[in-house]
Amino acid sequence: MLVSDDIHALSRAVGGPVVLPGSPEFAEETFAFNVATVHRPDVVLGAADAQDVAAAVKWAAEHRIPVSVQSTGHGADSAIDGGLLINTRRLQDLQIDPVERTARVGAGVKWRTLLEASVPHGLVGLHGSSTDVGVVGYTVGGGLPVLGRAHGFAADHVRSMDIVTADGALRRNDADAEAELFSLMRGGKGNFGIVTALEFSLFPVSEFYGGGIIYPGADAATILAAFRQWLPTLPDDASPSVSLLRLPDMDFVPEPLRNQFVVHLRFAFLGNREDGDALLAPMRAVSTPLMDTAGPMSYLDVDQIHMDPADPLPFTEGGALLKDFGDETVADLLELTGDGSDCPLLLVEIRPLGGALSRPALSRPGVMPDAVPDAVSGRDAAFLLFLVGFKVPPIAEAVAASIRGILAAMAPHSTGYTLVNFHGEPGDEADRARAWSPAVYERMRSAKATYDPGNLLRFGHAITGAPAAG
Ligand SMILES: Cc1cc2nc3c(=O)[nH]c(=O)nc-3n(C[C@H](O)[C@H](O)[C@H](O)COP(=O)(O)OP(=O)(O)OC[C@H]3O[C@@H](n4cnc5c(N)ncnc54)[C@H](O)[C@@H]3O)c2cc1C
């Protein structure tokens, strides 16, 4: 148990605020974008810089106190109970090198802030569907980007990171220095330390075409069948996805779509209007859209492609990688979640992988010549199935049961794995292991035993270290 001398020792070692339960700042420092999750650590540090993170982890190691980390709480799919929570939102350093096409960000930077700085140079980072998400939390989870089929996972393009390991040491980590740690931190989530800064590649974007088409949910079978036929005709510069949405009567939903069951096709394409229109033409003809926003767009409007909620909400989620999206897979998914089903979920999403997402980072010459393979698993899958529902009474239990039920019923179509950023609430060890291939998981267990032998970083998608040899 922590006594006041312990807390004073922590306060003396750091520059940022040390906050205890019951103090007025506690709610703000522990607040998560996923408001269904209420963190209850024993103490929070609002880290002011990387040295604060190192000092706090060292303090926690000395006191054998578990450590967790949060910047935005977008990934707060389980609550933190006890221990030290390090809030990194104040780590806002941001540097763009337009010549080298790289960015270096502190662990509190969100994708939107990065884009606002990089887009004027004609460069973008590999963010996901919402730019409100933190760069670091997303990237250590692999990072499945909007432009994924063109460039691969965000983790594939990390150049270096500053990381505080469980012994409190602040290390500069890249392909030359501690290559195995560097490799496993890119996709292995926060299992081996707390990242304080990340350096990664940016990509040129000259013309950009994107947006969404919303169709009546009653046409879901026709649209999904057409989507399946259409996908192989697309170049890798085009990244589409499709979702079934049961839209609530809430502010983030455009008024005409409230309380409706719809199909939402999302489309991001590195090209001009003429080519974008030509690629989308077959999907525009398939049903009568209720809304069509696809066209040339300023890259800073990229959030309009997925239209993810911008304000905090209570939600729960789950995901599985699919082997295919063939006739049987589509029919089973529609029976479970389509028109006429009793599916209570807000979103049932299908994101195709393929293109650069299916190729290991090393096999893309010229992209990152010194790359060591990262921990992103699941490149052999064809699609990601992702499920999201509201975690609020009175439907919370029905939503959780529905996610479990759909994942179980779709298991014959799944590779058996998922992506850690889309895993949802982490369950037992076997469930958490679903986020990595067996080979990567074994490497992670061995590295966990090396870098976190006391299992200090044990919250969320944490794995257990391999027992010491002999
Ligand atoms: C609306 C929405 C859209 C999303 N879209 C996508 C998408 O398109 N593609 C995709 O891949 N993911 C997506 N995600 C998932 C998202 O990438 C993860 O939830 C990610 O963990 C969020 O990171 P964060 O730092 O914002 O969240 P936080 O909740 O602050 O952090 C989540 C976890 O990330 C790890 N982490 C955070 N900071 C650090 C650090 N400094 N060092 C080490 N580990 C750290 C920890 O394990 C932490 O528990 C989306 C999530 C939401 C809510």
Side-chain angles (χ1 to χ4, degrees), residues 70-75 128-129 134 138 143-144 189 195 308 351 421-422:
Q70 174 168 290
S71 64
T72 70
H74 277 80
S129 59
Y138 162 93
L144 177 62
K189 211 65 187 173
V195 175
D308 285 347
R351 287 199 201 186
N421 277 355
F422 297 87

Side-chain angles (χ1 to χ4, degrees), residues 33 39 69-77 80 88 107 127-130 132-146 185 189-191 193-196 306 308-309 315 317 351 421-422 459-461:
F33 179 88
H39 296 313
V69 57
Q70 174 168 290
S71 64
T72 70
H74 277 80
D77 39 29
I80 293 156
T88 60
H127 58 85
S129 59
S130 163
D132 196 42
V133 165
V135 175
V136 167
Y138 162 93
T139 306
V140 295
L144 177 62
V146 166
M185 276 304 294
K189 211 65 187 173
N191 263 296
I194 298 185
V195 175
T196 57
H306 279 253
D308 285 347
F315 58 91
E317 57 197 28
R351 287 199 201 186
N421 277 355
F422 297 87
F459 292 106
H461 299 274

Side-chain angles (χ1 to χ4, degrees), residues 42-122:
D42 294 325
V43 54
V44 189
L45 166 67
D49 52 28
Q51 282 68 36
D52 267 12
V53 177
V57 173
K58 198 157 187 295
W59 173 87
E62 280 163 13
H63 292 78
R64 295 173 185 267
I65 291 169
V67 179
S68 54
V69 57
Q70 174 168 290
S71 64
T72 70
H74 277 80
D77 39 29
S78 61
I80 293 156
D81 253 320
L84 166 70
L85 170 63
I86 298 180
N87 187 320
T88 60
R89 70 192 160 106
R90 292 170 180 80
L91 305 189
Q92 288 295 328
D93 289 348
L94 170 58
Q95 292 157 31
I96 306 286
D97 184 334
V99 178
E100 289 294 318
R101 293 182 176 167
T102 58
R104 182 182 156 83
V105 300
V109 172
K110 293 182 178 186
W111 279 110
R112 167 135 301 266
T113 313
L114 180 278
L115 288 180
E116 281 166 1
S118 72
V119 167
H121 298 288

Side-chain angles (χ1 to χ4, degrees), residues 392-411:
V392 278
I395 59 164
E397 191 35 54
V399 163
S402 168
I403 290 176
R404 284 193 301 272
I406 295 168
L407 292 179
M410 294 299 287

